[in-house]
Amino acid sequence: MILSFMTATTKSRVAVSAFFFLPGLCFASWASRIPDISAKLGMSSGQLGQLLLAIPLGSMLSLPLAGWLTANWGSRRTVLLASVLYACFLPLLGWAGSFWTLAPALALFGFAGNMLNISVNTQAIGLQELYPKPIMGSFHGLWSLAGFLGGALGTLLIGLHRSPLQHFLLILVVCLAIAGWAQAYTLRKDVGKVDESGPGFSLRHPDPYLLRIGFIAFCGMMSEGAMFDWAGVYFQKVVRPDAALVTAGYVACMSTMALGRFLSDYFTHRFGTMRMLQLSSALIVSGLLLAVGFPYLVPAVAGFLLIGFGIASVVPLSYSSAGRATSVSPGVALALVSTIGFLGFLLGPPLIGFLAQLFSLRTAFGLVAIVATGIGVLASLPNPVPVAASQAEPVA
């Protein structure tokens, strides 16, 4: 077996990568079937926006338990529990037959998803301390790769006229197999040190630098969340291609986001973090304006390709920038930035639903472009911050 020739650290990296791939596959499977499920339940854009609030609600409810489990059980056992729950809750979304049964199912899905997010990033922080070079980008790249593959699989199964429930049961089996295999190789002890003041102190008295990085992550993840939950709906209701091509925009965005994350380390080394964030902002805004201004299949797909490239670098660059903070430990800095950023990922999609109900879906997507502009603006502020030894200019 290939793993037998790897070091223990490399095996752990492969295992943690698998636990990043797993939630990406689960979430992408749900996102690819949102148009189907929304149409089946006869929901308007506003009703869908209200429904999507269940995910952030469940996520916020999970924070105390997730923190307690990770601290007392350790991230290794919490990752296994959370990944199994996340996969098992997915079929409930395909089974639900009304708003009132889908909403609690989504809350459970969000609950398990955030528990997995916290515990698997704790594993990643521990692994980062064992490597001399940044590796966070590769983890997020695998999450995005899973998003692309999950969207592609969704497109295939829609074409084969498989129901969301059948689709989600298939993903459940795959995810349980991944979790069962990978759990044996995860880090047995959390390596990252915890700041003595604790994350709570960091949240009460946040470093202005970390707040800025957090809001960059917020803008990027709000754009990312919009693509996950609304790309398919936008194509269904605005672009209106053939049924088999409804997920084309989603798959286009996920493919370039995955590719961009695997390439981001190279381009960041060459151009610097600030320029990469400015470029990311410009790509997201350009792609959104293209898709909104010309809501036809070819230009819309081209726009979503640009959006994917733009989104790709924002979160990895935000996390790596947080790790260079000097006021708190890297783990606490990452917790603060990821918390602010994840709120954007969770709250953005419901907000789009409300805006679509008040105005139109095209208008709502145009407003996302305004949010994405904030990435470039915040990255360009003059306040200097710590830089890696390989960089010759201030970064965001």
Side-chain angles (χ1 to χ4, degrees):
M1 186 178 180
I2 295 177
L3 285 181
S4 63
F5 298 100
M6 296 180 180
T7 65
T9 301
T10 304
K11 290 178 183 178
S12 294
R13 183 175 178 179
V14 172
V16 174
S17 297
F19 277 113
F20 271 86
F21 186 90
L22 186 154
L25 184 62
C26 279
F27 194 86
S29 299
W30 150 247
S32 69
R33 302 309 290 256
I34 288 175
D36 283 355
I37 294 173
S38 175
K40 182 181 74 172
L41 300 183
M43 290 188 295
S44 66
S45 295
Q47 290 173 322
L48 180 57
Q50 294 173 18
L51 181 69
L52 293 176
L53 278 172
I55 294 181
L57 176 62
S59 298
M60 294 301 103
L61 290 175
S62 77
L63 283 172
L65 179 61
W68 186 89
L69 286 175
T70 302
N72 291 274
W73 276 24
S75 62
R76 184 171 189 258
R77 286 196 285 179
T78 308
V79 161
L80 178 63
L81 171 65
S83 61
V84 170
L85 289 176
Y86 198 47
C88 288
F89 290 149
L90 179 62
L92 295 179
L93 310 183
W95 169 81
S98 70
F99 179 99
W100 300 110
T101 53
L102 183 55
L106 281 172
L108 290 173
F109 192 61
F111 187 96
N114 199 36
M115 186 187 300
L116 181 53
N117 177 62
I118 292 171
S119 56
V120 77
N121 273 289
T122 302
Q123 283 273 314
I125 290 170
L127 273 170
Q128 178 64 81
E129 293 196 5
L130 302 177
Y131 279 82
K133 295 181 179 180
I135 60 173
M136 291 296 291
S138 65
F139 291 133
H140 290 276
L142 283 167
W143 192 91
S144 299
L145 178 61
F148 165 68
L149 294 176
L153 179 61
T155 300
L156 174 63
L157 294 177
I158 289 171
L160 295 175
H161 305 291
R162 301 300 180 188
S163 70
L165 179 57
Q166 292 173 320
H167 179 179
F168 296 162
L169 287 172
L170 173 62
I171 298 301
L172 168 62
V173 173
V174 172
C175 288
L176 291 180
I178 291 173
W181 168 80
Q183 192 270 342
Y185 303 102
T186 50
L187 289 177
R188 295 184 179 275
K189 293 183 179 180
D190 296 329
V191 178
K193 295 180 180 179
V194 178
D195 191 279
E196 291 182 358
S197 61
F201 181 83
S202 177
L203 290 172
R204 290 194 297 272
H205 304 283
D207 185 312
Y209 162 67
L210 288 177
L211 274 179
R212 181 149 64 100
I213 299 302
F215 284 118
I216 289 173
F218 180 92
C219 294
M221 294 191 76
M222 178 176 283
S223 303
E224 186 174 336
M227 294 303 101
F228 266 101
D229 284 4
W230 286 97
V233 178
Y234 186 83
F235 264 64
Q236 181 188 56
K237 295 188 175 183
V238 178
V239 180
R240 298 182 180 178
D242 293 338
L245 295 174
V246 164
T247 59
Y250 174 84
V251 172
C253 183
M254 293 304 105
S255 63
T256 52
M257 185 167 68
L259 177 61
R261 281 182 170 165
F262 285 116
L263 296 174
S264 63
D265 288 340
Y266 169 79
F267 286 104
T268 300
H269 176 75
R270 183 167 182 178
F271 299 112
T273 301
M274 182 177 70
R275 289 194 181 94
M276 280 297 293
L277 287 171
Q278 291 170 337
L279 176 61
S280 296
S281 177
L283 287 171
I284 297 171
V285 173
S286 299
L288 283 166
L289 293 180
L290 179 60
V292 170
F294 302 93
Y296 311 105
L297 181 61
V298 173
V301 169
F304 277 71
L305 287 170
L306 292 176
I307 295 167
F309 274 125
I311 290 171
S313 300
V314 178
V315 172
L317 290 178
S318 298
Y319 283 10
S320 62
S321 295
R324 291 192 292 272
T326 57
S327 60
V328 294
S329 68
V332 172
L334 180 58
L336 175 63
V337 169
S338 63
T339 297
I340 297 173
F342 202 58
L343 284 174
F345 185 81
L346 295 172
L347 296 178
L351 177 62
I352 289 175
F354 293 134
L355 292 174
Q357 185 74 9
L358 288 174
F359 305 104
S360 70
L361 195 51
R362 291 176 70 185
T363 301
F365 267 57
L367 292 175
V368 174
I370 297 176
V371 173
T373 303
I375 299 169
V377 172
L378 289 168
S380 302
L381 293 180
N383 182 33
V385 300
V387 296
S390 62
Q391 292 176 328
E393 60 172 317
V395 297

